[in-house]
Amino acid sequence: MMTLQQSFITWREQWQTLLDQLQQRGVDTAATFAPVADLQQVEQVEQQLDITLPTELRELLLTGASEVSVIWYVPSEQMVPFGLTGDVGWSLEALDFVEMWSEDAESPEQRRYLTFYHAGNGDRLVLDLSDVERPAVLSWDHETGEFRLLAGSLTAFLERITALYGIGAEHWQYEHFIDHGGLNIHHPQAQRWQQWMHDYVHLTLEQARTQLDVLIRYAEMHDSDDAALQQAFAAFSEQDVLTAWLNRIEQERDVHLRHSLMECAASICRSAAADWVRELWNAPSDQRINSAVLAYVTACCLPEQEGLQRVYAALEQLQQSNRLNGYGANSWLKPFYSREVLQWMWQGKRVSYPYDGWDRLFACSAPEAEDIWQWLGGSTVQRQVVISALSTAEDVQAIFPEQDQLRHTLALLEGELDKAVTKKEKNLVNSAIQALSKQ
């Protein structure tokens, strides 16, 4: 049987290997492995807390490390089951009691739960000292005060959490894998998670490209716009690819992952999925999928004019009921990246205060120099929309391919600066001038 020191060496190797593999996938990681604590440091903390630390924790601090922190975060564009991140560790400096609300300051409950690790959101990992010889590990929710059993001992917790790729340490992250005995690495949800992480770390495009279901699993973990991935799907018939994606979508019960799968399918299948998208539109308005997702799949799969007309009709219904604003319009129309959107915005006095969202939509709708000049000659709110959009311009060359166009626009903005009255208006125009002048 391994000592705790030997177990720590094994865990550390496993954690470091995981972080190395995740880094190769572009995942943000961080790790701290501090030297072991000396006996004097441990005894000083024990004196401050007026306890003798539990045997496992004491041994871990003296023979393993005085502090460990293993953190990873998969980019948000990946379809991570349960939305999990990695965060596991302990720290000598973190050792303290959880303050329990009680009218009795001397209540035994005040010294029952010993924190050994802090999650980033304020939640804690604690030892339940009601059994000093072998305290259980619990998760504590700092907002609700709820405790959740994770394992019957610190060693068991670290074994289980390592098998689950270091998930935690926020309270909600454990809920998918909990039963009456705490974390259960054999739970169906846990096995699903372990399979996903194994594939994320190890599955390559070469391994996936011969089987459509495996290729879809690979696509869930990578950029669907990747040319090599698109080419791999092109080796199968369009109908087979669409059918496989629809089957995968149907199997998914998590609504957020389901929406992500729809977007991924649309970016892969494109026009082959046009009829599927039309069926989504034909659903009663109160039963349609999330509007942002519907807009994305529409922009991907339908001819531009058909897609825009469907979206315009939906937005005009919102306008009639006074529920159209810039954020809503941006959510619906941003996926098209179409200059035609600018004319729709211009017509019918659709742009109004507050103009937040309208400026973002203008910026991402492929404006050209003529559009800038038209809007600078428009109403007050139209001028402010285009000026705000220019203040965030990144690819100025695409808007003004000729220097004369850029110079003319800067002259117009100088005129706007002269007319500006409030400090806010002046700052907005100056930001636009600075953005264009950098080019």
Side-chain angles (χ1 to χ4, degrees), residues 363-435:
C364 72
S365 296
E368 297 182 3
E370 290 78 5
D371 304 310
I372 306 297
W373 302 335
Q374 180 187 37
W375 283 65
L376 284 174
S379 66
T380 301
V381 67
Q382 288 171 331
R383 293 200 305 274
Q384 291 186 355
V385 164
V386 69
I387 292 170
S388 180
L390 287 174
S391 69
T392 60
E394 296 181 356
D395 191 359
V396 175
Q397 180 67 31
I399 305 173
F400 309 106
E402 299 176 11
Q403 282 298 308
D404 286 346
Q405 295 173 325
L406 181 57
R407 282 192 288 268
H408 179 60
T409 304
L410 286 169
L412 292 175
L413 289 174
E414 292 291 348
E416 291 294 326
L417 186 60
D418 291 339
K419 292 186 292 184
V421 177
T422 67
K423 183 177 180 180
K424 181 178 180 180
E425 290 172 338
K426 292 179 183 294
N427 288 340
L428 183 63
V429 178
N430 275 322
S431 295
I433 292 173
Q434 290 173 11

Side-chain angles (χ1 to χ4, degrees), residues 11 50 66 72 141 161 204 323 346 356 418:
W11 295 328
D50 192 24
S66 59
W72 54 258
D141 188 326
I161 211 68
T204 66
R323 291 188 293 125
W346 176 267
D356 303 79
D418 291 339

Side-chain angles (χ1 to χ4, degrees), residues 45 49 51 53-54 57 61 89-99 110-119 122-129 138 140 147:
V45 170
L49 297 175
I51 61 170
L53 293 180
L57 178 59
L61 294 168
W90 62 84
S91 171
L92 178 66
E93 293 186 358
L95 298 182
D96 197 4
F97 292 107
V98 176
E99 293 185 10
Q110 299 292 346
R111 299 175 58 79
R112 175 174 173 177
Y113 301 105
L114 179 66
T115 300
F116 65 89
Y117 191 69
H118 290 268
D123 294 346
R124 300 185 185 189
L125 295 176
V126 304
L127 294 174
D128 182 358
L129 299 186
L138 311 177
W140 178 71
F147 289 94

